[in-house]
């Protein structure tokens, strides 16, 4: 057993020797509840594995990224998005000698709180209850709902990176900061790639500065932004982009919102997704006995939270099937 114990200790020692002084070290990571250390894996490696093997992560394979119920198997889902974020951010972390295990845990868990139908579902719940943010729901899932109400007891650094991967907050660790920008790099480039495949865009549609600074191929765009982040952040205690690339990326993002995310071509399917979320919410708030009772327990008896927890955790397919079973007459 002493030889096995040396595996984790050896990994922790290697982190101290190999990683940047700015890197988050797994030996220093803290959890809300103390637990016996794994003899083989560091704390961040355990967090990554807990997320990867959890039900909320598995559900991401049937949750919308941009296209609701797309025809074809090659469009991104929330799961493939999370994997692409992980790959991009680990490459940046490797270039800066930061902690790849922490990066991977944050990246894999950052979107588990997303609703069915992507941001359409998120906006539907926000309109109903007044406040709903998928990053906050990710934290609730990972700390309360996962593992049948026990939570995963993840480290503070992982939870901080997930909570602040979007919005105005800045993650405390450079690893979390990488995911905050790397998430944007990933979704812009792969959503652009999917838009090309769907015929919504052509490469010539891109703004001139985007083409000139970032390129027109998704792989070239990713490489340009990754290299820029490594160069701009090298030797720094904060993760940065060059002004030039940041401006091009902001213009790229504005272009994607105008031409893809808010596209008239996608509006009808999104309207349907929003309607399903609204209908399910009304159904369960009118008759709480139909709601799986564990959700009331996990919500401490708060019925609104229980309904939101249940609906936000549904996959696209399950939400559609549930709607049909509840509201559509059988043939």
């Amino acid at each position: 057993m002493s030889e096995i114990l040396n595996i984790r200790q050896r990994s922790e020692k290697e982190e101290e020797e190999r990683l940047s002084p700015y890197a988050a070290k797994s030996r220093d990571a803290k959890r809300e509840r103390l637990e016996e250390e794994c003899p083989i894996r560091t704390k961040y490696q355990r967090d990554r594995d807990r997320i990867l093997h959890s039900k909320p992560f598995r559900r991401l394979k049937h949750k919308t990224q941009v296209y609701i119920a797309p025809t074809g198997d090659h469009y991104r889902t929330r799961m493939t998005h999370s994997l692409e974020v992980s790959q991009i951010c680990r490459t940046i972390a490797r270039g800066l000698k930061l902690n790849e295990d922490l990066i991977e845990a944050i990246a894999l868990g950052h979107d588990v709180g997303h609703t069915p139908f992507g941001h359409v579902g998120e906006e539907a719940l926000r309109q109903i209850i007044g406040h709903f943010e998928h990053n906050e729901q990710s934290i609730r899932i990972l700390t309360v709902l996962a593992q049948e109400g026990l939570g995963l007891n993840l480290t503070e650094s992982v939870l901080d990176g997930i909570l602040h991967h979007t919005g105005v907050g800045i993650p405390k660790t450079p690893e979390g900061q990488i995911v905050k920008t790397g998430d944007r790099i990933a979704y812009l480039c792969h959503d652009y790639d999917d838009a090309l495949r769907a015929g919504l865009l052509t490469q010539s549609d891109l703004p001139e500065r985007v083409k000139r600074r970032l390129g027109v191929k998704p792989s070239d765009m990713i490489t340009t932004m990754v290299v820029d982040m490594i160069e701009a952040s090298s030797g720094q205690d904060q993760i940065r982009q060059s002004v030039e690339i940041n401006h091009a990326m902001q213009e790229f993002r504005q272009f994607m919102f105008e031409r893809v995310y808010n596209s008239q071509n996608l509006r009808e399917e999104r309207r349907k997704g929003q309607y399903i979320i609204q209908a399910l919410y009304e159904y369960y708030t009118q008759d709480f006995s139909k709601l799986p009772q564990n959700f009331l327990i996990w919500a401490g008896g708060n019925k609104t939270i229980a309904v939101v927890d249940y609906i936000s955790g549904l996959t696209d397919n399950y939400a559609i099937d549930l709607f049909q079973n509840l509201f559509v007459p059988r043939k």
Side-chain angles (χ1 to χ4, degrees):
M1 180 61 72
S2 60
E3 292 181 1
I4 294 178
L5 281 172
N6 283 336
I7 296 175
R8 173 178 54 80
Q9 294 169 347
R10 183 183 65 204
S11 296
E12 292 173 343
K13 183 179 179 182
E14 287 174 351
E15 285 184 359
E16 296 290 342
E17 295 172 348
R18 176 177 56 84
L19 296 183
S20 161
Y22 304 120
K25 311 301 193 299
S26 58
R27 180 181 292 171
D28 302 326
K30 300 290 190 297
R31 301 187 188 279
E32 182 179 0
R33 301 188 300 275
L34 293 177
E35 55 185 53
E36 186 177 350
E37 293 288 352
C38 175
I40 299 174
R41 297 166 297 165
T42 67
K43 293 187 184 78
Y44 294 144
Q45 289 170 347
R46 291 185 85 181
D47 283 2
R48 173 203 60 203
D49 293 351
R50 288 175 181 181
I51 293 169
L52 187 65
H53 293 291
S54 69
K55 289 180 182 178
F57 180 77
R58 289 198 295 275
R59 289 198 294 266
L60 293 179
K61 67 181 177 179
H62 292 304
K63 288 198 173 190
T64 289
Q65 175 62 22
V66 172
Y67 301 92
I68 297 174
T71 56
D73 297 327
H74 299 140
Y75 292 91
R76 271 73 172 191
T77 65
R78 283 289 159 188
M79 177 177 283
T80 59
H81 162 68
S82 298
L83 294 173
E84 292 184 37
V85 173
S86 176
Q87 178 271 317
I88 289 170
C89 294
R90 286 183 62 194
T91 299
I92 298 168
R94 191 175 301 124
L96 295 172
K97 294 185 177 180
L98 297 175
N99 198 315
E100 291 184 51
D101 295 324
L102 174 55
I103 285 274
E104 193 171 14
I106 296 171
L108 294 179
H110 81 283
D111 267 358
V112 296
H114 251 299
T115 62
F117 317 123
H119 288 287
V120 170
E122 183 177 25
E123 181 60 30
L125 286 177
R126 187 179 296 128
Q127 290 176 1
I128 293 169
I129 66 173
H131 180 84
F132 181 88
E133 301 293 341
H134 75 270
N135 54 320
E136 296 173 5
Q137 190 66 17
S138 292
I139 297 299
R140 177 161 174 77
I141 286 172
L142 295 170
T143 58
V144 177
L145 303 178
Q147 204 172 337
E148 303 305 317
L150 297 176
L152 300 183
N153 196 29
L154 302 177
T155 58
E156 294 174 357
S157 298
V158 171
L159 294 173
D160 172 75
I162 290 171
L163 179 62
H164 295 117
H165 83 269
T166 188
V168 297
I170 304 298
K172 296 176 182 178
T173 65
E175 290 84 358
Q177 294 168 27
I178 286 176
V179 174
K180 190 177 183 72
T181 302
D183 175 42
R184 184 168 292 187
I185 292 173
Y187 75 67
L188 287 175
C189 293
H190 65 51
D191 293 348
Y192 165 65
D193 188 37
D194 280 352
L196 293 175
R197 178 175 292 107
L200 288 177
L201 295 175
T202 65
Q203 291 181 350
S204 62
D205 293 327
L206 287 171
E208 286 304 315
R209 178 162 60 174
V210 174
K211 290 190 282 189
R212 186 172 65 253
R213 299 299 186 196
L214 304 182
V216 297
K217 293 172 57 180
S219 59
D220 291 342
M221 291 172 156
I222 291 171
T223 299
T224 297
M225 288 186 276
V226 165
V227 170
D228 177 76
M229 279 184 68
I230 293 172
E231 291 177 343
S233 305
S234 182
Q236 306 292 323
D237 61 354
Q238 296 281 320
I239 300 303
R240 296 178 168 89
Q241 293 177 290
S242 69
V243 173
E244 189 176 85
I245 295 300
N246 178 263
H247 286 172
M249 183 170 150
Q250 295 302 328
E251 187 171 348
F252 184 26
R253 185 170 183 268
Q254 183 178 350
F255 167 81
M256 288 294 292
F257 269 92
E258 292 172 356
R259 295 293 301 274
V260 177
Y261 303 135
N262 296 324
S263 167
Q264 183 67 39
N265 293 333
L266 302 179
R267 194 163 295 170
E268 182 60 19
E269 289 303 304
R270 292 175 177 176
R271 182 195 64 77
K272 294 175 185 176
Q274 192 170 36
Y275 181 81
I276 288 175
I277 296 294
Q278 293 168 340
L280 292 177
Y281 182 87
E282 291 176 7
Y283 175 81
Y284 286 110
T285 52
Q286 290 172 7
D287 189 353
F288 289 103
S289 67
K290 302 296 184 181
L291 192 73
Q293 293 305 293
N294 279 344
F295 283 90
L296 278 171
I297 296 172
W298 299 334
N302 187 311
K303 294 178 179 179
T304 298
I305 293 176
V307 173
V308 170
D309 284 343
Y310 179 65
I311 292 176
S312 66
L314 301 176
T315 64
D316 293 19
N317 295 340
Y318 195 90
I320 292 169
D321 290 344
L322 191 58
F323 178 86
Q324 290 178 331
N325 290 334
L326 293 175
F327 301 112
V328 179
R330 296 185 184 277
K331 293 182 180 179

